[in-house]
Amino acid sequence: MMLTDHTTLSQFLIEERRRFPEATGDFSALIIDVGLACKAIARRVANGALGGALGQAGTTNIQGETQQKLDVIANDMFIRANEWGGQLAGMASEEMDMPWAIPPRYPRGKYLLLFDPLDGSSNIDVNAPVGSIFSILRAPNPGVEPRPEDFLQPGTKQVCAGYAIYGPSTMLVITVGTGVHGFTLDPHLGEFILTHPRIKMPPTTQEFAINASNARFWEPAVKRYVDECLEGKTGPRGKDFNMRWIASLVADCHRILIRGGVFMYPRDTRDPGKPGKLRLMYEANPIAMIAEQAGGMAITGQDRILDIKPSKLHQRIALIFGSREEVERIEAYHRDHSGRSYETPKFKADELFHTAK
């Protein structure tokens, strides 16, 4: 019986499953369980200080980053919602050193779940948008506890990717390889309702997102691109750009998905031994799949994100994604400046200051 005039997440997944008569329903059940975890996290985030979950947890994750209380809570919610159903062979989280072993009392399934339980958690105390990111892979050995290397599959092997954003409303955005669809949580029904079907990212844009405080460390291609954007109508681009930076990957991604833009967390020279800041398995791969399914692109600068073969579970990487025309331009600039430098234009003094007459 239809309880609403709109399509729920469950109904959407059932319709998708009907296209594949051989499907068992395990995949749909797994996404429903992921959605349940996101609902629970949304409630804790919405309670804010009233729930006593703000502030630091007094622990660090494998990357040496200080964990927030809600990092730990969200991680536990993902585990509890997904370990029991029998769809998963194993799970891996940004917040855990090693994959989570499914307890022996539960059956093991044919999928692997990777997740960042609370992206942008440093924004929690200032009440800014945060989210969760997840990726689903097929287990190489269904029904068997996976080895860490079983998770090291390129992004092209993802069967589902998605994120939840906890903002003025809670949204779940997913792709199962047939486009990108957004579902808004109806707090009265407790259901995700399809509100943004077949999302398409605008191919061009006048917005970019980057942490400008790192400008002195950027690669020449990135410096050139940002400088040209800042020159606006008088520069080679012939149009003005806006810069947006929320410092929450999910929030920046959602804005770009809906209205276009380009996000850049490029490789820089601060630590030549580190190829980037963001995590390939928990952040870059799922966001890249969503971007491509929406008509956009996702690269490191030189390489397509989804083609990269992971070498370790917590591998870091550069990430540039967004509107196709802009990402193609940045990719071309990386080719242009491979092996040669770029000199930032010097502004004339009278362009920066003037004396009132």
Side-chain angles (χ1 to χ4, degrees):
M1 182 178 68
M2 296 284 287
L3 298 178
T4 171
D5 293 334
H6 303 286
T7 303
T8 67
L9 176 62
S10 298
Q11 291 163 350
F12 172 84
L13 293 171
I14 290 170
E15 290 296 328
E16 286 289 306
R17 193 176 74 202
R18 284 173 177 164
R19 298 169 53 210
F20 304 94
E22 72 280 5
T24 62
D26 286 353
F27 183 58
S28 298
L30 174 55
I31 297 176
I32 293 296
D33 287 344
V34 169
L36 177 61
C38 294
K39 291 177 191 177
I41 295 168
R43 186 169 182 177
R44 291 302 296 267
V45 169
N47 284 339
L50 298 176
L54 299 188
Q56 297 180 356
T59 55
T60 58
N61 60 21
I62 189 172
Q63 293 88 14
E65 298 165 337
T66 299
Q67 291 177 306
Q68 303 296 311
K69 290 179 182 178
L70 272 170
D71 283 322
V72 178
I73 292 170
N75 192 72
D76 187 63
M77 286 176 169
F78 255 90
I79 290 171
R80 302 308 167 207
N82 290 283
E83 67 178 357
W84 66 277
Q87 297 89 25
L88 289 177
M91 287 182 275
S93 166
E94 181 182 310
E95 300 299 333
M96 300 186 296
D97 294 4
M98 297 295 291
W100 177 262
I102 302 297
R105 64 183 180 275
Y106 299 133
R108 290 188 175 89
K110 56 187 177 183
Y111 295 105
L112 302 174
L113 176 65
L114 301 99
F115 56 90
D116 178 355
L118 199 66
D119 173 74
S121 57
S122 60
N123 285 330
I124 282 288
D125 289 352
V126 297
N127 204 27
V130 294
S132 303
I133 311 174
F134 64 91
S135 169
I136 299 174
L137 301 166
R138 295 189 187 277
N141 300 295
V144 178
E145 182 173 341
R147 304 164 299 171
E149 53 264 35
D150 289 342
F151 290 85
L152 302 182
Q153 302 179 38
T156 52
K157 297 294 186 181
Q158 294 174 108
V159 295
C160 178
Y163 64 81
I165 181 169
Y166 314 119
S169 62
T170 293
M171 283 192 66
L172 181 69
V173 176
I174 65 169
T175 178
V176 294
T178 57
V180 179
H181 307 276
F183 301 79
T184 301
L185 181 62
D186 183 331
H188 301 293
L189 284 177
E191 291 282 353
F192 282 110
I193 306 297
L194 180 62
T195 52
H196 295 67
R198 298 174 294 279
I199 299 172
K200 282 295 181 184
M201 189 183 298
T204 190
T205 183
Q206 290 179 235
E207 288 188 356
F208 65 97
I210 194 167
N211 185 350
S213 68
N214 294 327
R216 63 195 185 280
F217 302 116
W218 290 341
E219 293 178 312
V222 176
K223 288 181 180 179
R224 176 182 172 185
Y225 178 80
V226 173
D227 283 343
E228 289 181 355
C229 291
L230 294 178
E231 289 182 60
K233 289 183 178 179
T234 61
R237 300 302 306 276
K239 61 181 180 179
D240 292 328
F241 281 77
N242 292 323
M243 187 175 77
R244 299 285 185 265
W245 181 255
I246 304 176
S248 166
L249 176 59
V250 164
D252 280 312
C253 176
H254 192 69
R255 183 190 65 253
I256 290 169
L257 192 64
I258 299 300
R259 72 184 193 197
V262 61
F263 174 97
M264 293 172 282
Y265 215 128
R267 182 171 184 166
D268 59 41
T269 60
R270 187 170 19 182
D271 186 344
K274 291 183 178 180
K277 170 71 174 177
L278 300 177
R279 287 76 175 176
L280 174 61
M281 305 302 295
Y282 312 107
E283 296 169 316
N285 269 344
I287 294 299
M289 182 178 182
I290 291 168
E292 289 198 5
Q293 284 290 314
M297 287 181 64
I299 61 173
T300 63
Q302 295 89 352
D303 303 310
R304 180 190 181 209
I305 292 289
L306 294 182
D307 287 336
I308 295 170
K309 179 64 172 74
S311 58
K312 53 186 177 180
L313 201 56
H314 295 281
Q315 181 176 343
R316 292 178 185 262
I317 200 165
L319 175 60
I320 298 168
F321 73 89
S323 297
R324 175 169 291 275
E325 292 181 15
E326 296 303 308
V327 179
E328 286 177 341
R329 178 181 290 270
I330 297 168
E331 186 178 43
Y333 287 0
H334 275 86
R335 291 194 298 268
D336 289 348
H337 293 282
S338 177
R340 68 185 183 93
S341 62
Y342 163 76
E343 186 174 343
T344 301
K346 299 295 190 296
F347 292 99
K348 297 178 182 179
D350 60 0
E351 291 175 336
L352 298 177
F353 306 98
H354 70 276
T355 303
K357 296 182 179 179

